[in-house]
Amino acid sequence: MSILVKNITKTFKNLTAVNNISFDVKEGELFGLIGPDGAGKTTIFRILTTLLFADKGEAIVADYDVVKDYKSIRNNVGYMPGKFSLYQDLTVEENLAFFATIFGTTIEKNYDLIKDIYIQIEPFKTRRAGKLSGGMKQKLALCCALIHKPKVLFLDEPTTGVDPVSRKEFWEMLKRLQKKGITILVSTPYMDEAALCDRIALIQDGKILEIDTPQEIVKHYPKKIYDVKTDNMYKLIECLNTYEHHYSVYPFGEFVHYTDKREDFNPKDLQLFLEEMGAVNITIQPTETTIEDTFMELAK
Amino acid sequence: MKRFIGFIKKEFYHIFRDRRSLFILFGMPIAQIMLFGFAITNEINNVDIAILDHSKDITSQEIINKIASSKYFSIKQLIKNEAEIEAVFKKGKVKAVLIFEKDFSKNLTKENNATIQIITDATDPNTANTISNYTNSILQKYQQEINKNIKTPYQIVPKTRMVYNPELKSVFMFVPGVMTIILMLVSAMMTSISITREKELGTMEILLVSPIKPFQVIVGKVIPYVFLSIINAIVIVLLSIFIFKMPIQGSLFLLGVESVLFIITALALGILISTISATQQTAMMISLMGLMLPTILLSGFIFPIASMPLPLQVISNIIPAKWFVIILKGIMLKGVGLTFIWKETLILVVMTLFFIALSIKKYKIRLE
């Protein structure tokens, strides 16, 4: 077991940031903490990286206790905080070299681990970190967190504020790192990224709603979801909310995700209802459940 | 050790890439020394003086004419007796009084020797000094003229007396003062800002979650500034020696050791400030208000401590700068050795150890 969290609670003044949370991450697993801003993700990271004490509960990272053996943990984990935290006035290469020295290693020694990522920012190695684009900053930060070959990698919202292309690349990199045997705990507010993890924990208001593989989590969704679309989206949502049998109505991209209360729901009934309400170009089709749907359902 | 050196290297990158701070760091001591040095100007122009001529003969008249025709002096008043001297000084009408002795001419020709007394108001010590120098040179020139064709030369003996501040106490006072301020500012403010910057930018978070020890982080932060402060101290001493011709009376070695001690005191204070402030702005405000003001006002550099109200005199004892100013004055101006300033040195050492202990206790190895 790489990370073991048992009944951790953390309170700041009157706010309970983390409320009796337990989960575990297996060795070599890519585990995601999924939840909106303020769910308590960063606090969990800080407790696990020995930066904060938990009020209650215990946690073990890479076989070390986060309170007693904090020094050993600091030797064996890589941490990338949510805010870009490298030296803006140092160049890409200097940043990397600095962190390598701090961890008692050199760039050359662990080059194979960061090669795939570093190659992309190498053309800019003499540029100051403050002048990099968001995506490149994240890649550099990841390199710096990896340079000492950590057993466990903590990534706190690594893709926030990064463009979609870089985000995709970033996750591909994580997958490759995972193959090299590094356990990764990553947090993100983006539900679409959740599907890329081995297992995820859905978090809200400091509580874990559910822990499972992304595939299983969507299976837990109790209803069949339908994509509904008409000419007037705004009016459609309004109409569906007045429909007596509706269970949930959420806008989802160009469609509205609709579920019905009845077990034997027939889409044709809805079609008739919408036609009666004067909607035109009605499309109703069954669709796959996403993690976002599950999250919305659990967070109700 | 490699870790530590890597950290110090990084600190130097920070310092040298921040051009503006670097400019302040090295420009400030030079600017301050120059300002203080030249504000107490060495040039005099049309200084008002008074003359008390007891002999009223040809020679005294000639000398008075010479003085009156120089651009440096203008004769404001001719006074008749000694009693008036005090009065003209007190009214602030004149800066100096020249007194010709009785039978000036006769003494000069018969005994080859006559005396002029120059009394200057030394409340402004620099001007007083300059006035006496200028008068002397006028007298000397006159002497050369009259001695051209004479075998046994006549001698005019100027006797200078400074009133109100006979020891010219504050002439070089600004050097110890400025040195204290600069070392305090560079060491304390710069370190506290540089440590809080890591907190503010979030890099402290990464440093904490790394094998580097907090102790190494702090010492690594401090060492570059020790170097810079020492360079600053050397620049200040060199400037005062070569530009302001200030003689350093005591041992340069002792001066160096004491300066390093004070630099460490200031750095310890800087670290302490950084442990209690979360942002660079707070660190700067605390440094300025908590360190600079007391250093300037209560160290005895500008305002003599003896003339402060009692409560302030008591408070001044906890200002490290006060002790350092005493030490500097002792070494630079009086030329004393350690036997005379061991007490002040000991106080600084104790203060330093206290600040270091306190900041180690306050330094957080976690975020809260």
Side-chain angles (χ1 to χ4, degrees), chain A residues 32 34 171 188 190-200 202 214 291:
Chain A
I34 318 294
W171 276 90
T188 177
Y190 302 119
M191 303 290 167
D192 54 332
E193 290 180 345
L196 301 167
C197 299
D198 293 337
R199 280 195 307 147
I200 54 174
L202 300 180
I291 291 165

Side-chain angles (χ1 to χ4, degrees), chain B residues 291-311:
Chain B
L291 295 182
M292 291 308 295
L293 278 183
T295 300
I296 294 173
L297 299 176
L298 294 178
S299 67
F301 153 47
I302 294 178
F303 308 109
I305 292 173
S307 55
M308 288 176 192
L310 190 66

Side-chain angles (χ1 to χ4, degrees), chain A residues 10 46 49-53 70 74-75 79 83 85 87 89-90 94 98-99 101-103 128, chain B residues 2-3 7 10 13-14 17 198 200 202-203 205-212 365-368:
Chain A
K10 175 78 192 172
R46 287 184 169 167
T49 51
T50 74
L51 287 170
L52 288 179
F53 283 126
Y70 75 94
R74 291 178 181 193
N75 273 303
Y79 174 42
K83 202 167 73 173
S85 315
Y87 298 102
D89 52 343
L90 261 54
E94 284 161 354
F98 171 70
F99 283 103
T101 334
I102 290 287
F103 281 96
R128 297 208 179 157
Chain B
K2 243 183 161 179
R3 249 168 227 173
F7 193 86
K10 181 210 75 151
Y13 282 141
H14 287 320
R17 297 217 171 138
E198 301 252 2
E200 207 175 327
T203 41
E205 221 171 306
I206 303 193
L207 288 182
L208 285 176
V209 188
S210 81
I212 193 165
I365 55 163
R366 292 191 165 79
L367 282 183
E368 50 182 359

Side-chain angles (χ1 to χ4, degrees), chain A residues 226-289:
Chain A
Y226 292 86
D227 272 342
V228 185
K229 192 182 169 189
T230 63
D231 275 358
N232 189 337
M233 283 290 273
Y234 176 72
K235 200 157 168 245
L236 172 65
I237 294 171
E238 228 175 30
C239 282
L240 288 173
N241 274 322
T242 57
Y243 188 49
E244 55 176 329
H245 302 295
H246 86 273
Y247 179 75
S248 70
V249 178
Y250 293 115
F252 198 92
E254 54 176 333
F255 294 103
V256 171
H257 274 190
Y258 173 82
T259 53
D260 200 90
K261 274 182 195 156
R262 294 162 294 183
E263 288 295 319
D264 55 344
F265 169 63
N266 188 342
K268 278 189 183 142
D269 295 345
L270 184 61
Q271 174 102 24
L272 283 171
F273 169 73
L274 288 175
E275 275 168 6
E276 261 174 48
M277 299 298 284
V280 281
N281 286 336
I282 303 165
T283 326
I284 301 175
Q285 63 199 42
T287 185
E288 297 278 311
T289 313

